[in-house]
Amino acid sequence: MKKIMLICLFLISSVIFAHAPLLSVDDNKDGTIYIEAGFSNGEKADGMELIIVKDKAYNGPEDTYEGKLIIFKGKFDAKSSMTIIKPLATKYEVIFNGGPGHVTSKKGPKLEESEMSKWKENIQKADYLGEWKEKMTQK
């Protein structure tokens, strides 16, 4: 009887944790970050929302996410990844919104002085930023 209960407990616990959101934020050391998302069961995050916020409280008229100013919103590509310039903000958070109950976040790596010349080059070519370009380039 104990063996059956242990097997049932194991199966139930593996089902509960089978769909946890995963997020990786890697510093490319060239003024950009590589972001990849998905789920613990292997499901991809293509088409799902990526949000970048300044990591400090904000109480103004612009869009916020949990009380923090949104400086970028985008969607993951078919590979569930994205390479994007680092925000000029000294502290920021990258958020993967995989739907209700499937949200995870990571602190983003700081833009270093040694990366500034490459960052300035990249910002000129960053057409994908669209309306977010101004917010991503403000401290």
Side-chain angles (χ1 to χ4, degrees):
M1 184 66 160
K2 285 184 182 181
K3 286 183 183 181
I4 293 173
M5 288 186 66
L6 280 172
I7 290 171
C8 288
L9 183 61
F10 175 78
L11 291 174
I12 290 170
S13 66
S14 65
V15 169
I16 290 172
F17 296 109
H19 198 70
L22 303 172
L23 177 66
S24 173
V25 180
D26 296 319
D27 191 345
N28 291 330
K29 306 283 187 199
D30 65 354
T32 66
I33 51 176
Y34 175 76
I35 305 166
E36 190 172 15
F39 296 93
S40 58
N41 65 353
E43 188 178 333
K44 292 185 173 193
D46 57 316
M48 294 189 175
E49 190 174 50
L50 165 74
I51 304 169
I52 299 178
V53 296
K54 284 189 176 181
D55 196 11
K56 64 179 183 179
Y58 176 77
N59 188 20
E62 299 173 277
D63 287 342
T64 62
Y65 181 85
E66 294 187 354
K68 296 177 181 180
L69 177 65
I70 296 172
I71 57 176
F72 179 79
K73 268 189 183 181
K75 302 241 183 231
F76 286 101
D77 65 13
K79 295 180 183 177
S80 301
S81 66
M82 181 183 296
T83 297
I84 188 169
I85 65 159
K86 290 181 185 177
L88 198 53
T90 52
K91 292 183 179 181
Y92 64 96
E93 192 174 352
V94 178
I95 301 162
F96 165 42
N97 182 358
H102 295 91
V103 177
T104 190
S105 66
K106 298 230 176 173
K107 305 270 185 211
K110 181 181 174 190
L111 179 63
E112 300 294 335
E113 190 64 38
S114 61
E115 300 172 305
M116 284 304 289
S117 63
K118 189 70 175 163
W119 181 84
K120 287 177 183 176
E121 260 180 57
N122 287 332
I123 200 74
Q124 296 303 318
K125 300 181 225 171
D127 295 335
Y128 61 89
L129 289 177
E131 65 182 283
W132 302 104
K133 189 172 189 174
E134 185 178 328
K135 289 184 179 179
M136 290 285 280
T137 57
Q138 293 176 351
K139 279 198 173 187

